[in-house]
Amino acid sequence: QVQLVESGGGLGQPGGSLRLSCAASGSIATIYNMNWYRQPPEKERELVAGISIGGDTMYVDSVKGRFSIDRDNAKNTVHLQMSSLKPEDAAVYYCNMEIFTFRYGRQTYWGRGTQVTVSS
């Protein structure tokens, strides 16, 4: 079975930086889109950034110019570099990947989330 594990969350200062990572493991044949979502307290989950298998990226307007997503296909890993942090960036961040396995075909998988707190 495929598992996604996030790391790198924690406390960041306003104006500071944090780097999130998410590693996929299991019998993986291909990983298509890799995405980061976030869910602030009492709000809906939103797509923050995504990167396609070809390396095309997208960002929600609120993080453009501050966040950067990249992937390491050899390690089945996606990173989210967060800079110029703002209090409104505080949320639980979830990794999401579209993965093909020979047993289950093309499925979407989620990590359990990592908490990001922004405070001085």
Side-chain angles (χ1 to χ4, degrees):
Q1 181 60 287
V2 172
Q3 288 189 327
L4 305 186
V5 178
E6 299 103 336
S7 61
L11 176 64
Q13 293 188 341
S17 299
L18 284 174
R19 182 172 174 82
L20 305 183
S21 298
C22 175
S25 61
S27 300
I28 296 168
T30 304
I31 302 179
Y32 296 96
N33 296 327
M34 296 178 166
N35 304 301
W36 286 98
Y37 284 74
R38 68 185 179 187
Q39 187 167 18
E42 301 182 359
K43 293 187 178 181
E44 293 186 354
R45 191 174 297 187
E46 68 168 349
L47 176 61
V48 176
I51 183 166
S52 72
I53 191 172
D56 295 326
T57 59
M58 61 74 58
Y59 301 92
V60 69
D61 285 346
S62 60
V63 307
K64 285 180 179 177
R66 301 189 298 118
F67 289 11
S68 178
I69 187 170
D70 65 273
R71 61 190 287 168
D72 183 337
N73 292 324
K75 296 181 179 179
N76 292 336
T77 299
V78 62
H79 304 285
L80 184 68
Q81 179 67 45
M82 305 186 295
S83 303
S84 301
L85 286 168
K86 301 178 179 181
E88 52 263 41
D89 294 323
V92 178
Y93 282 72
Y94 296 90
C95 173
N96 164 286
M97 296 188 188
E98 192 176 3
I99 297 174
F100 179 86
T101 64
F102 290 108
R103 181 171 185 179
Y104 297 107
R106 192 163 175 165
Q107 303 281 344
T108 298
Y109 297 87
W110 289 87
R112 291 187 175 185
T114 184
Q115 178 71 51
V116 170
T117 302
V118 181
S119 175
S120 56

XYZ file of all heavy atoms in Angstrom, residues 62-106:
368
model
N -2.556 33.723 -2.962
C -2.088 34.228 -1.669
C -0.650 33.823 -1.339
O -0.043 34.400 -0.428
C -3.017 33.759 -0.559
O -3.059 32.342 -0.503
N -0.097 32.857 -2.065
C 1.275 32.424 -1.765
C 2.243 32.672 -2.916
O 3.439 32.402 -2.791
C 1.329 30.925 -1.372
C 0.348 30.626 -0.256
C 1.113 30.011 -2.560
N 1.751 33.189 -4.017
C 2.623 33.442 -5.163
C 3.746 34.390 -4.788
O 3.534 35.410 -4.147
C 1.812 34.010 -6.326
C 0.958 32.978 -7.046
C 0.184 33.608 -8.198
C -0.650 32.558 -8.926
N -1.475 33.151 -10.005
N 4.956 34.026 -5.182
C 6.116 34.832 -4.867
C 6.703 34.545 -3.497
O 7.797 35.036 -3.184
N 6.006 33.773 -2.690
C 6.511 33.441 -1.348
C 6.783 31.952 -1.173
O 7.705 31.571 -0.450
C 5.503 33.888 -0.292
C 5.178 35.364 -0.299
C 4.337 35.766 0.909
N 3.041 35.093 0.955
C 2.663 34.284 1.933
N 3.482 34.037 2.948
N 1.455 33.721 1.921
N 5.991 31.132 -1.796
C 6.144 29.682 -1.677
C 6.687 29.112 -2.991
O 6.409 29.640 -4.073
C 4.807 29.011 -1.377
C 4.251 29.256 0.002
C 4.801 30.205 0.848
C 3.169 28.518 0.450
C 4.282 30.430 2.116
C 2.633 28.723 1.706
C 3.201 29.688 2.538
N 7.408 28.018 -2.869
C 7.938 27.344 -4.043
C 7.828 25.837 -3.855
O 8.228 25.297 -2.816
C 9.397 27.738 -4.261
O 9.939 27.051 -5.367
N 7.307 25.170 -4.865
C 7.154 23.714 -4.806
C 8.143 23.072 -5.771
O 8.384 23.593 -6.865
C 5.701 23.304 -5.151
C 5.490 21.803 -4.912
C 5.336 23.691 -6.579
C 4.013 21.390 -5.013
N 8.741 21.973 -5.333
C 9.619 21.226 -6.219
C 9.511 19.745 -5.883
O 9.041 19.380 -4.806
C 11.075 21.711 -6.105
C 11.697 21.450 -4.750
O 11.548 22.295 -3.857
O 12.333 20.397 -4.608
N 9.953 18.915 -6.813
C 9.837 17.478 -6.622
C 11.137 16.778 -6.947
O 11.898 17.234 -7.809
C 8.693 16.905 -7.464
C 8.832 17.080 -8.962
C 7.547 16.696 -9.692
N 7.325 15.258 -9.718
C 6.185 14.695 -10.079
N 5.136 15.457 -10.405
N 6.054 13.367 -10.110
N 11.359 15.666 -6.276
C 12.510 14.811 -6.539
C 11.941 13.454 -6.934
O 11.528 12.658 -6.080
C 13.385 14.697 -5.287
C 14.645 13.886 -5.525
O 14.665 13.063 -6.457
O 15.609 14.061 -4.770
N 11.893 13.195 -8.216
C 11.254 11.975 -8.704
C 12.020 10.721 -8.286
O 11.422 9.669 -8.072
C 11.114 12.027 -10.220
C 10.129 13.083 -10.667
O 9.110 13.323 -10.013
N 10.422 13.727 -11.786
N 13.321 10.829 -8.151
C 14.112 9.665 -7.752
C 13.789 9.226 -6.327
O 13.924 8.048 -5.983
C 15.598 9.984 -7.876
N 13.355 10.192 -5.510
C 13.051 9.898 -4.111
C 11.557 9.923 -3.817
O 11.152 9.804 -2.663
C 13.768 10.904 -3.202
C 15.283 10.823 -3.281
C 15.942 11.820 -2.332
C 17.457 11.705 -2.394
N 18.129 12.681 -1.481
N 10.733 10.087 -4.856
C 9.273 10.151 -4.688
C 8.889 11.187 -3.628
O 8.053 10.928 -2.751
C 8.707 8.772 -4.302
C 8.813 7.770 -5.429
O 8.873 8.140 -6.606
N 8.858 6.495 -5.084
N 9.511 12.335 -3.731
C 9.365 13.364 -2.704
C 8.961 14.694 -3.315
O 9.398 15.033 -4.421
C 10.688 13.522 -1.939
O 11.018 12.276 -1.310
C 10.587 14.601 -0.875
N 8.159 15.428 -2.575
C 7.802 16.785 -2.952
C 8.097 17.698 -1.772
O 7.962 17.296 -0.615
C 6.313 16.894 -3.361
C 5.383 16.538 -2.223
C 6.003 18.259 -3.932
N 8.562 18.909 -2.106
C 8.895 19.883 -1.073
C 8.075 21.146 -1.284
O 7.693 21.475 -2.412
C 10.382 20.245 -1.143
C 11.299 19.085 -1.053
N 11.560 18.417 0.121
C 12.011 18.441 -2.010
C 12.406 17.440 -0.108
N 12.692 17.423 -1.393
N 7.851 21.846 -0.181
C 7.228 23.161 -0.255
C 8.090 24.113 0.561
O 8.157 24.008 1.792
C 5.801 23.142 0.284
C 5.043 24.460 0.159
C 4.765 24.763 -1.324
C 3.733 24.427 0.936
N 8.772 25.005 -0.126
C 9.576 26.030 0.533
C 8.682 27.227 0.783
O 8.165 27.819 -0.163
C 10.761 26.424 -0.343
C 11.628 27.516 0.264
C 12.359 27.046 1.500
O 12.926 25.953 1.530
N 12.353 27.860 2.547
N 8.506 27.555 2.052
C 7.633 28.654 2.429
C 8.482 29.788 2.991
O 9.235 29.569 3.953
C 6.611 28.188 3.473
C 5.795 26.990 3.027
S 4.480 26.561 4.172
C 5.444 26.069 5.591
N 8.384 30.938 2.397
C 9.156 32.103 2.825
C 8.210 33.266 3.093
O 7.043 33.231 2.712
C 10.173 32.480 1.748
O 11.035 31.401 1.456
N 8.756 34.293 3.749
C 7.951 35.479 4.084
C 6.634 35.066 4.721
O 5.559 35.526 4.333
C 7.688 36.313 2.824
O 8.908 36.723 2.232
N 6.738 34.198 5.701
C 5.545 33.646 6.333
C 4.670 34.730 6.944
O 5.176 35.735 7.478
C 5.938 32.649 7.420
C 6.458 31.299 6.938
C 7.083 30.509 8.081
C 5.346 30.490 6.285
N 3.372 34.490 6.840
C 2.390 35.382 7.422
C 1.538 34.593 8.413
O 1.398 33.372 8.287
C 1.488 35.958 6.329
C 2.213 36.740 5.256
C 1.236 37.222 4.189
C 1.943 38.030 3.114
N 1.001 38.519 2.069
N 0.939 35.272 9.383
C 0.074 34.556 10.340
C -1.024 33.748 9.649
O -1.393 32.666 10.128
C -0.503 35.687 11.191
C 0.545 36.750 11.152
C 1.117 36.682 9.762
N -1.503 34.250 8.523
C -2.579 33.539 7.824
C -2.098 32.281 7.113
O -2.908 31.533 6.560
C -3.282 34.475 6.828
C -2.367 35.185 5.870
C -2.032 36.601 6.339
O -1.801 36.788 7.559
O -2.000 37.498 5.466
N -0.797 32.032 7.111
C -0.285 30.779 6.558
C -0.411 29.629 7.549
O -0.202 28.467 7.187
C 1.182 30.921 6.161
C 1.390 31.882 5.010
O 0.551 31.905 4.095
O 2.406 32.616 5.036
N -0.732 29.944 8.787
C -0.858 28.897 9.808
C -1.998 27.953 9.454
O -3.122 28.394 9.176
C -1.093 29.523 11.166
N -1.701 26.672 9.461
C -2.691 25.669 9.058
C -2.064 24.286 9.205
O -0.857 24.165 9.441
C -3.112 25.879 7.611
N -2.892 23.280 9.042
C -2.367 21.937 8.847
C -2.151 21.769 7.343
O -3.069 22.002 6.554
C -3.327 20.856 9.370
C -2.758 19.463 9.090
C -3.567 21.039 10.861
N -0.939 21.394 6.972
C -0.592 21.233 5.570
C -0.597 19.749 5.217
O 0.008 18.934 5.923
C 0.785 21.842 5.297
C 0.743 23.343 5.189
C 0.536 24.126 6.327
C 0.880 23.979 3.960
C 0.472 25.514 6.234
C 0.823 25.363 3.857
C 0.621 26.114 4.995
O 0.551 27.489 4.892
N -1.280 19.434 4.124
C -1.431 18.056 3.686
C -0.771 17.862 2.324
O -0.952 18.670 1.410
C -2.900 17.682 3.553
C -3.675 17.716 4.842
C -4.323 18.866 5.264
C -3.766 16.571 5.637
C -5.036 18.890 6.443
C -4.487 16.590 6.824
C -5.114 17.751 7.218
O -5.821 17.767 8.393
N -0.087 16.763 2.223
C 0.499 16.345 0.957
C -0.522 15.476 0.219
O -1.235 14.662 0.839
C 1.772 15.555 1.258
S 2.537 14.773 -0.154
N -0.560 15.608 -1.080
C -1.509 14.883 -1.920
C -0.789 14.490 -3.199
O -0.104 15.320 -3.802
C -2.692 15.818 -2.196
C -3.565 15.376 -3.333
O -3.181 15.492 -4.496
N -4.745 14.901 -3.020
N -0.909 13.228 -3.577
C -0.254 12.766 -4.801
C -1.188 11.859 -5.590
O -1.942 11.065 -5.006
C 1.018 11.987 -4.479
C 2.102 12.783 -3.812
S 3.631 11.787 -3.693
C 4.655 12.840 -2.682
N -1.079 11.971 -6.882
C -1.797 11.085 -7.795
C -0.784 10.026 -8.251
O 0.171 10.339 -8.937
C -2.325 11.876 -8.973
C -3.307 11.128 -9.833
C -3.871 12.015 -10.939
O -3.448 13.176 -11.047
O -4.715 11.530 -11.685
N -1.039 8.776 -7.820
C -0.030 7.731 -7.987
C -0.617 6.523 -8.702
O -1.742 6.103 -8.403
C 0.515 7.305 -6.601
C 1.220 8.487 -5.923
C 1.467 6.121 -6.729
C 1.671 8.209 -4.501
N 0.177 5.981 -9.613
C -0.206 4.745 -10.291
C 0.567 3.576 -9.701
O 1.802 3.612 -9.641
C 0.073 4.843 -11.790
C -0.288 3.597 -12.550
C -1.575 3.401 -13.008
C 0.665 2.598 -12.780
C -1.916 2.247 -13.698
C 0.336 1.455 -13.459
C -0.961 1.267 -13.924
N -0.165 2.586 -9.271
C 0.435 1.307 -8.885
C -0.196 0.229 -9.746
O -1.332 0.350 -10.190
C 0.193 0.978 -7.402
O -1.219 0.815 -7.180
C 0.719 2.076 -6.488
N 0.548 -0.852 -9.994
C 0.024 -1.903 -10.843
C -1.124 -2.643 -10.174
O -1.991 -3.196 -10.856
C 1.148 -2.861 -11.238
C 2.128 -2.236 -12.185
C 3.406 -1.897 -11.775
C 1.756 -1.955 -13.491
C 4.301 -1.307 -12.646
C 2.656 -1.363 -14.371
C 3.923 -1.032 -13.945
N -1.161 -2.604 -8.858
C -2.237 -3.315 -8.151
C -3.531 -2.512 -8.122
O -4.610 -3.066 -8.318
C -1.801 -3.638 -6.732
C -2.860 -4.408 -5.945
C -2.318 -4.902 -4.637
N -3.293 -5.731 -3.933
C -3.069 -6.318 -2.765
N -1.907 -6.182 -2.164
N -4.017 -7.047 -2.202
N -3.423 -1.184 -7.888
C -4.626 -0.379 -7.678
C -4.889 0.635 -8.788
O -5.893 1.349 -8.755
C -4.543 0.356 -6.338
C -4.491 -0.566 -5.148
C -3.315 -0.740 -4.434
C -5.614 -1.284 -4.751
C -3.252 -1.592 -3.351
C -5.570 -2.138 -3.671
C -4.385 -2.291 -2.983
O -4.336 -3.145 -1.914
N -3.985 0.705 -9.765
C -4.188 1.683 -10.825
C -3.874 3.088 -10.338
O -3.079 3.294 -9.419
N -4.519 4.065 -10.928
C -4.263 5.484 -10.630
C -5.193 5.930 -9.504
O -6.405 5.948 -9.667
C -4.481 6.298 -11.892
C -3.985 7.735 -11.830
C -3.877 8.287 -13.247
N -3.532 9.688 -13.279
C -3.100 10.333 -14.367
N -2.982 9.661 -15.502
N -2.809 11.600 -14.332
